[in-house]
Amino acid sequence: MPQPMRAVMRPEQTAFSETEGDHGTSLARALDRWTALLGADHVLAQGTDLEAYRQSTLPAAPSAWAVLRPGSRDQLIEALAIARECAVPLYPISRGRNWGYGDACPVTEGQVVVDLGRMNRILEVDPDLGYAVIEPGVTQGQLARYIEDNGLALCIDATGAGPETSLVGNVLERGYGHSPAGDRFRSICGLQVVLADGRVLETGFGHYQDAQASRVFPYGVGPVLDGLFTQSNFGIVTKMGLWLQPKPAVTQVFICSVEAESGIAGLVEDLRRLRLNGDLRSIVHIGNELRAFSGEGGFPLDRAREGPPLSPELRGELRRELGVGAWTAWGGLSGSSAQVAVARRAVKRALKKPGRKLVIMDERKLKLARVFARTSLGRGLRHKLDAVAAALDLVRGRPTDHFLTGVYWRRPGGRPAGDADPRTDGCGVLWLSPVMPMTGPAVTRFMALIAPIYAAHGFDLFVTLNLVTERALGAVLNIVYDKADPEEATRARGCYDQLLDSLMAEGLPPYRVGIQSMAQLDQGSDVFWDVAAEIKAALDPEGMIAPGRYQPGRARSQR
Amino acid sequence: MPQPMRAVMRPEQTAFSETEGDHGTSLARALDRWTALLGADHVLAQGTDLEAYRQSTLPAAPSAWAVLRPGSRDQLIEALAIARECAVPLYPISRGRNWGYGDACPVTEGQVVVDLGRMNRILEVDPDLGYAVIEPGVTQGQLARYIEDNGLALCIDATGAGPETSLVGNVLERGYGHSPAGDRFRSICGLQVVLADGRVLETGFGHYQDAQASRVFPYGVGPVLDGLFTQSNFGIVTKMGLWLQPKPAVTQVFICSVEAESGIAGLVEDLRRLRLNGDLRSIVHIGNELRAFSGEGGFPLDRAREGPPLSPELRGELRRELGVGAWTAWGGLSGSSAQVAVARRAVKRALKKPGRKLVIMDERKLKLARVFARTSLGRGLRHKLDAVAAALDLVRGRPTDHFLTGVYWRRPGGRPAGDADPRTDGCGVLWLSPVMPMTGPAVTRFMALIAPIYAAHGFDLFVTLNLVTERALGAVLNIVYDKADPEEATRARGCYDQLLDSLMAEGLPPYRVGIQSMAQLDQGSDVFWDVAAEIKAALDPEGMIAPGRYQPGRARSQR
């Protein structure tokens, strides 16, 4: 068994103010040099600014020792040289909005967070070939706005995590959105990566001088290295080529709700056929009833004084009152009007069945419905139309934070007005994202596995099932808890751990994990993780970059 | 600069019969042990069977010391252990049909070829989820036949290299076919890889016990390692999950020819828009006139006694006689009848322009045309209809060797009857595959660069431009030469080298190279290739697997 990591520090110290002895000294020395390099404004070693980075939607998270905010790649490389000399590892974040998975917090104590948010240049957008070249600090909202402001006939793939999230950060976590380019990993075309020793790697054709195809052909020649720099700690990505889609002439959203809980199996079978044969090209999202309820407001304490979970009776009442089914699938139909017409007919043919309701909405229909919703008859519609509008926005590449409302379910006071920031708003949420084959039986087994665990721990079951490839469903389980209540927070973590263990045992590992679960990824002796560790040892022998991140052995040794 | 490779042998010896001294001894010892392991039938150390492996379509190629044919993964692992103990490196091939790029030959002398052709099991085909799990010896023809014989509503992506080529071998070289799944790298879903030390790595979710999603979700959790095992020598792939497409209800082929040479620029612009907006989902191939001429027969010595290249006048005559344009694009339209109807209309609208001819063919039209071709009026049509039939086969996933005819252009006697095997038939061909942005100006500059080089070296210019992504053109340049003529073979290599140098200088590196060009991939100090070498050193420190393959430093040191 290889032992690639040399421990460069002990993790006992949990914050700069408490550090002492050798490590305190080297950190202090490093901070002095970083301050000289970046300026005092961009080195946070104490105070409320640092505290904000240390907040998390998780029940508990390691604290950054300090935060650096380099303004350029060259500054980053110099900051890394100082880190190496002082043996203080760096933990890069793009915007730190990794809600439900660890936010801006490092995997272990004893790391200095490097916030790349100031490196937020849109370096190039090619309207004919359909790509952008961006830095890690560029947000979804920023690129969408840039395209709109410049009248380009392009659109981005947007996720539901809101306009302020980093594109690069999410793509490197292999997140997925709502458009035909929703499998975001497949939109990478050329990475620039700063390695632990300060070398700059360009993937694809990008390392060849004046390479003409580096943003249009992702693989280059020789081994494809891009995958190495996703969900890993092998380097710090400082630039990314990202494919954009032509702006579709027509965008519509279909919404298909299923009355009975058991109806999900048949729906998934129908959707798979539509997805495989190319009628549905966007990533479809299917939410359960709790996802729908939580979009309308917080937990109804007035009707369930004993707190979560909602009783089956109350869930039934809410379903009837809000007019939602046990499951609601929605997805975009976009393209030329002829393409959309074909997709629309195929969707109708496949999805219109007893026990389901199907609606297909576009901008025009939405406007009409809004007029109706202003009448007394349509009053109950308003919330629903907001959701439809948000869905239409997302599938058109306009980021919205509408769908973040659900994570406020247990926050005392619900969601405040203004932009959502679950971390600073004090929300408690754990996300868990197992992947399963896109078949009815797989979903039925999955639900039978998870529902009793939620119930046993006293939480409402929030789940979305997302058609992440033509063949796989990526589930997102939310454990939404009251972060102000320590008992509930502890219970949430217990629920999460049991879910993760049970899912791993059933052969349903997650596609991505939060910082608290890196150690569980290795289920014993596993050549895969050994090989990953050997690559880490080759590229970052001193463990300078994000020790423990997707590095189970290291994460385990530091618990 | 890292020095990861330890030379395990000197390459002076070029064949077993000539080996002497230490290396001869270790090879002899290894051969004894391999023979005990695999049986004498599956260890070729001399004789005509070995000679067949040493044949190549290249002007010159290093000779395998010997050939091993393991029948299973476990035999392979044992053979590798013997190789390690005796310090004899192994060069894996799947079926050895890498025509124009080195065939079955190793990159350097002093290697023993491991032919994985006997490992040819189709381990699983899932008709609902649309995937297969196959071994490296499985051919395109074999899998297509399996699907047909079992009446499965699936189809493979086929390349034009004929039914006897390995799927795994081509996918690992990141080859591309003719269907919507033509970017074959994106169809990989889970690799099993034997590493140099005999460990077995499973990528994606495959390393988790009972993982349910390992064939439907390619990335797993943590770094994506699959790309590492394409175009590299980091391991030996022994199993591959490969996505298959649902069998389309309708398949048609459009053929658009352009009269004038300069017409290619506008055609490429039109095709890019169709490809980006989703009207054209298959990989379109565009051939120049020589590709068309060479499909009809060998070089017309009777009309050009001085040999190649054809004069502009004769090219004009042939164009008129055969009724072909300077360029011919063709591609598949497949899907439901409604999808194909939309695509068809979009193709017509975009491509019907002065100076072009557009035909859209399906099975029924082809049959009618064949009837007409039997009449005296239609006599000239016959060859063309054979090409259309072959194109229809390819886009439906039925491998054909029709399009290999072109490599027989300079072979004395032309193409013999029966299955094409350019290597054993003694064809001379070098393939060179630069990639460029899918724009008119890029193509025009490209043609202006390469045409004079072909002319200067006295070769006919064969080129196809393939829409490998929605944004990039992958060109395939053929240098077709008479392998029986040493002068012409030397000239072919000279032409190739000048083309490659010029293309690299223009920022147009190839997406893939032949065994003769590994050293040129590194154009100086290059972090990319240093990193690749560091990964090689981590995974295969003794250089046991295919030394020099996509390993420029090593290939250079051995020249």
Side-chain angles (χ1 to χ4, degrees):
Chain A
M1 243 7 52
Q3 285 294 337
M5 295 304 125
R6 288 176 238 154
V8 291
M9 59 172 42
R10 290 279 144 266
E12 288 85 62
Q13 295 84 5
T14 56
F16 173 50
S17 55
E18 300 166 71
T19 57
E20 276 173 277
D22 281 1
H23 299 103
T25 315
S26 36
L27 179 59
R29 199 156 40 100
L31 286 169
D32 284 346
R33 292 181 61 190
W34 284 325
T35 305
L37 172 69
L38 306 174
D41 284 359
H42 300 306
V43 179
L44 312 179
Q46 53 198 323
T48 52
D49 284 354
L50 177 59
E51 287 312 315
Y53 280 89
R54 290 173 170 174
Q55 284 180 286
S56 173
T57 52
L58 303 182
S63 292
W65 259 0
V67 174
L68 311 180
R69 298 194 301 204
S72 68
R73 188 192 74 191
D74 290 347
Q75 279 196 342
L76 172 67
I77 292 171
E78 287 186 63
L80 196 48
I82 295 167
R84 268 195 321 273
E85 284 160 35
C86 301
V88 179
L90 298 183
Y91 189 87
I93 61 170
S94 296
R95 304 286 309 187
R97 264 76 171 174
N98 199 14
W99 295 313
Y101 291 112
D103 312 275
C105 299
V107 170
T108 63
E109 302 286 343
Q111 306 194 35
V112 168
V113 163
V114 180
D115 181 348
L116 304 173
R118 287 175 65 215
M119 294 170 60
N120 65 348
R121 290 179 299 166
I122 296 168
L123 297 161
E124 189 185 348
V125 176
D126 189 307
D128 296 323
L129 289 165
Y131 66 80
V133 182
I134 57 174
E135 291 186 322
V138 172
T139 65
Q140 309 198 79
Q142 181 188 352
L143 186 57
R145 231 168 16 247
Y146 177 94
I147 288 169
E148 187 142 343
D149 291 350
N150 289 278
L152 306 176
L154 293 171
C155 72
I156 68 163
D157 176 69
T159 72
E164 295 306 312
T165 52
S166 163
L167 282 163
V168 169
N170 183 268
V171 173
L172 294 181
E173 279 296 284
R174 302 200 296 266
Y176 43 82
H178 295 77
S179 76
D183 181 355
R184 292 177 149 206
F185 178 65
R186 301 208 166 194
S187 292
I188 297 174
C189 200
L191 297 179
Q192 182 186 73
V193 187
V194 170
L195 299 174
D197 60 7
R199 287 180 298 170
V200 177
L201 167 71
E202 301 272 356
T203 67
F205 281 132
H207 58 101
Y208 288 111
Q209 199 159 8
D210 305 319
Q212 293 185 32
S214 55
R215 302 302 176 196
V216 293
F217 186 80
Y219 315 127
V221 61
V224 177
L225 302 184
D226 302 70
L228 287 185
F229 300 99
T230 65
Q231 294 191 8
S232 79
N233 59 2
F234 299 160
I236 302 176
V237 173
T238 47
K239 203 196 277 188
M240 180 184 281
L242 188 70
W243 283 348
L244 304 173
Q245 301 305 310
K247 187 177 178 173
V250 175
T251 305
Q252 304 184 353
V253 168
F254 78 89
I255 301 147
C256 180
S257 71
V258 184
E259 202 52 50
E261 277 181 41
S262 61
I264 186 67
L267 180 65
V268 162
E269 293 281 322
D270 290 338
L271 287 171
R272 183 190 67 237
R273 288 184 203 103
L274 288 169
R275 192 97 168 79
L276 266 174
N277 80 2
D279 280 316
L280 275 184
R281 294 174 57 233
S282 295
I283 293 189
V284 176
H285 294 239
I286 314 171
N288 75 340
E289 58 190 12
L290 256 298
R291 292 286 299 178
F293 300 164
S294 64
E296 309 262 343
F299 182 86
L301 259 184
D302 50 333
R303 296 166 72 175
R305 302 209 157 271
E306 68 292 357
L310 297 173
S311 67
E313 295 71 34
L314 185 50
R315 274 161 43 205
E317 277 175 39
L318 289 170
R319 224 140 72 179
R320 279 188 299 277
E321 285 170 27
L322 300 168
V324 300
W327 296 93
T328 306
W330 64 273
L333 310 176
S334 59
S336 68
S337 61
Q339 287 172 338
V340 171
V342 168
R344 199 183 154 93
R345 280 198 300 276
V347 164
K348 280 189 185 167
R349 211 164 32 237
L351 299 189
K352 273 204 168 172
K353 289 191 177 169
R356 295 183 192 164
K357 272 184 221 155
L358 178 69
V359 183
I360 302 183
M361 297 288 284
D362 57 16
E363 199 68 43
R364 202 180 54 89
K365 265 198 189 168
L366 179 64
K367 268 192 194 146
L368 287 174
R370 280 209 195 276
V371 172
F372 176 70
R374 275 190 229 116
T375 68
S376 56
L377 266 175
R379 201 171 291 153
L381 263 182
R382 229 164 285 170
H383 272 296
K384 276 193 175 176
L385 295 180
D386 288 345
V388 171
L392 261 173
D393 276 343
L394 276 188
V395 302
R396 278 186 298 191
R398 297 184 191 167
T400 159
D401 62 12
H402 180 91
F403 296 102
L404 280 175
T405 304
V407 304
Y408 290 80
W409 177 249
R410 291 292 296 149
R411 180 180 180 270
R415 179 173 169 178
D419 295 341
D421 187 337
R423 180 185 60 173
T424 52
D425 288 340
C427 296
V429 60
L430 286 150
W431 279 345
L432 180 51
S433 318
V435 185
M436 71 200 81
M438 200 185 289
T439 69
V443 174
T444 304
R445 283 196 309 270
F446 169 73
M447 290 303 295
L449 176 72
I450 62 164
I453 300 175
Y454 269 87
H457 290 268
F459 287 101
D460 289 312
L461 196 167
F462 288 79
V463 58
T464 57
L465 300 166
N466 310 301
L467 285 66
V468 287
T469 70
E470 290 87 359
R471 295 159 180 83
L473 284 176
V476 179
L477 299 174
N478 304 9
I479 302 166
V480 188
Y481 64 95
D482 180 356
K483 198 166 156 72
D485 177 345
E487 182 278 327
E488 192 166 321
T490 305
R491 206 151 31 84
R493 179 61 199 261
C495 182
Y496 172 91
D497 286 340
Q498 197 188 338
L499 281 170
L500 180 56
D501 288 347
S502 306
L503 290 164
M504 296 291 271
E506 280 298 298
L508 295 168
Y511 91 101
R512 166 186 187 181
V513 290
I515 55 172
Q516 76 281 14
S517 301
M518 300 296 169
Q520 280 104 301
L521 290 177
D522 187 352
Q523 296 284 293
S525 167
D526 187 326
V527 174
F528 180 90
W529 289 111
D530 292 343
V531 166
E534 289 156 28
I535 294 170
K536 175 72 173 172
L539 300 183
D540 181 14
E542 295 166 309
M544 293 311 304
I545 300 176
R549 187 162 186 84
Y550 292 102
Q551 191 183 13
R554 172 72 180 225
R556 200 161 35 230
S557 73
Q558 303 248 324
R559 278 204 301 197
Chain B
M1 247 0 57
Q3 286 293 339
M5 294 304 122
R6 289 175 237 157
V8 292
M9 60 171 44
R10 292 280 143 263
E12 288 86 63
Q13 297 85 6
T14 55
F16 174 48
S17 55
E18 301 166 69
T19 57
E20 276 174 279
D22 280 0
H23 298 104
T25 314
S26 30
L27 179 59
R29 201 158 38 103
L31 286 169
D32 284 345
R33 293 182 59 192
W34 283 325
T35 305
L37 173 69
L38 306 174
D41 285 359
H42 300 305
V43 178
L44 313 179
Q46 55 199 322
T48 52
D49 284 353
L50 177 59
E51 287 312 315
Y53 280 89
R54 291 174 169 174
Q55 283 180 286
S56 174
T57 53
L58 304 182
S63 291
W65 259 0
V67 173
L68 311 180
R69 299 195 299 207
S72 68
R73 188 192 74 190
D74 289 346
Q75 279 196 342
L76 172 67
I77 291 172
E78 287 186 62
L80 195 48
I82 294 167
R84 270 196 319 274
E85 282 159 36
C86 300
V88 179
L90 297 184
Y91 189 88
I93 62 170
S94 296
R95 304 286 308 187
R97 263 77 171 175
N98 199 14
W99 294 313
Y101 291 112
D103 311 275
C105 299
V107 169
T108 62
E109 302 286 342
Q111 305 193 36
V112 168
V113 162
V114 180
D115 181 347
L116 304 173
R118 287 175 65 215
M119 293 169 59
N120 65 349
R121 290 179 300 166
I122 297 169
L123 297 162
E124 191 186 348
V125 176
D126 189 308
D128 296 321
L129 289 165
Y131 66 80
V133 182
I134 56 173
E135 291 186 323
V138 172
T139 65
Q140 307 197 82
Q142 181 187 353
L143 187 56
R145 228 166 21 245
Y146 178 94
I147 288 169
E148 187 140 345
D149 290 350
N150 289 278
L152 305 177
L154 293 172
C155 72
I156 68 163
D157 175 70
T159 72
E164 295 306 313
T165 52
S166 163
L167 281 164
V168 169
N170 183 269
V171 174
L172 294 181
E173 279 296 285
R174 301 200 296 266
Y176 43 83
H178 294 77
S179 76
D183 180 356
R184 291 176 149 207
F185 179 65
R186 301 208 166 195
S187 292
I188 297 174
C189 201
L191 298 179
Q192 182 186 75
V193 187
V194 170
L195 299 173
D197 60 7
R199 286 180 299 171
V200 177
L201 167 71
E202 301 272 355
T203 68
F205 281 133
H207 57 102
Y208 288 112
Q209 197 158 10
D210 305 321
Q212 294 186 30
S214 54
R215 301 302 175 197
V216 292
F217 185 80
Y219 314 128
V221 61
V224 177
L225 302 184
D226 303 69
L228 287 185
F229 300 99
T230 64
Q231 293 191 9
S232 79
N233 59 2
F234 299 161
I236 303 176
V237 174
T238 46
K239 202 196 278 188
M240 180 184 281
L242 188 71
W243 283 349
L244 304 173
Q245 300 305 309
K247 186 177 180 174
V250 175
T251 305
Q252 302 183 355
V253 167
F254 78 88
I255 301 146
C256 179
S257 71
V258 183
E259 201 54 49
E261 276 182 43
S262 61
I264 185 67
L267 179 66
V268 162
E269 293 281 323
D270 290 338
L271 287 171
R272 184 191 65 238
R273 286 182 207 107
L274 288 169
R275 193 96 167 81
L276 265 174
N277 78 4
D279 280 316
L280 275 183
R281 295 175 57 230
S282 294
I283 293 191
V284 175
H285 293 239
I286 315 171
N288 74 340
E289 59 190 12
L290 256 296
R291 292 285 301 179
F293 300 165
S294 65
E296 309 264 343
F299 182 87
L301 260 182
D302 49 334
R303 295 166 74 175
R305 301 209 159 269
E306 69 293 356
L310 297 174
S311 67
E313 296 70 34
L314 185 49
R315 274 161 44 205
E317 277 175 40
L318 287 170
R319 225 141 70 177
R320 279 187 299 279
E321 286 169 27
L322 300 168
V324 300
W327 294 93
T328 305
W330 64 274
L333 309 176
S334 60
S336 67
S337 61
Q339 287 173 339
V340 171
V342 169
R344 199 183 154 95
R345 279 198 302 273
V347 164
K348 281 190 183 166
R349 209 162 36 235
L351 300 188
K352 272 203 168 170
K353 288 192 178 169
R356 296 183 190 163
K357 271 184 221 155
L358 178 69
V359 183
I360 302 183
M361 297 287 284
D362 58 16
E363 199 67 42
R364 202 181 53 89
K365 266 198 187 169
L366 179 65
K367 269 193 192 144
L368 287 173
R370 282 211 193 273
V371 172
F372 176 70
R374 276 190 229 114
T375 67
S376 56
L377 266 174
R379 201 172 290 153
L381 261 182
R382 229 163 288 170
H383 270 297
K384 277 195 174 176
L385 294 180
D386 287 345
V388 171
L392 261 174
D393 276 343
L394 275 188
V395 302
R396 278 187 297 193
R398 297 183 190 167
T400 160
D401 63 12
H402 180 90
F403 296 101
L404 281 174
T405 304
V407 306
Y408 290 79
W409 178 249
R410 292 291 297 150
R411 180 179 179 273
R415 177 172 170 176
D419 295 340
D421 187 335
R423 178 183 63 172
T424 51
D425 288 340
C427 296
V429 60
L430 286 150
W431 280 346
L432 179 52
S433 318
V435 185
M436 71 199 81
M438 199 187 288
T439 68
V443 173
T444 304
R445 284 197 307 271
F446 169 74
M447 289 304 295
L449 177 72
I450 61 165
I453 300 174
Y454 269 87
H457 292 267
F459 288 101
D460 289 313
L461 195 166
F462 287 80
V463 57
T464 58
L465 301 167
N466 310 302
L467 285 67
V468 286
T469 72
E470 291 87 359
R471 295 160 180 84
L473 284 175
V476 178
L477 300 173
N478 304 9
I479 302 166
V480 188
Y481 64 95
D482 180 357
K483 198 165 156 74
D485 177 347
E487 183 278 327
E488 191 166 320
T490 304
R491 205 152 29 86
R493 179 61 198 261
C495 182
Y496 173 91
D497 285 341
Q498 196 188 337
L499 281 169
L500 180 57
D501 288 346
S502 306
L503 289 164
M504 295 292 270
E506 280 298 298
L508 295 168
Y511 90 101
R512 164 187 187 181
V513 289
I515 55 172
Q516 75 281 14
S517 302
M518 299 296 169
Q520 281 104 299
L521 290 177
D522 187 351
Q523 297 284 296
S525 166
D526 187 325
V527 175
F528 180 90
W529 290 110
D530 292 344
V531 166
E534 289 156 28
I535 294 170
K536 174 71 172 174
L539 300 183
D540 182 12
E542 296 167 305
M544 294 313 303
I545 301 176
R549 187 161 185 84
Y550 292 102
Q551 190 183 12
R554 172 71 182 227
R556 199 161 39 229
S557 73
Q558 303 248 324
R559 278 207 297 200

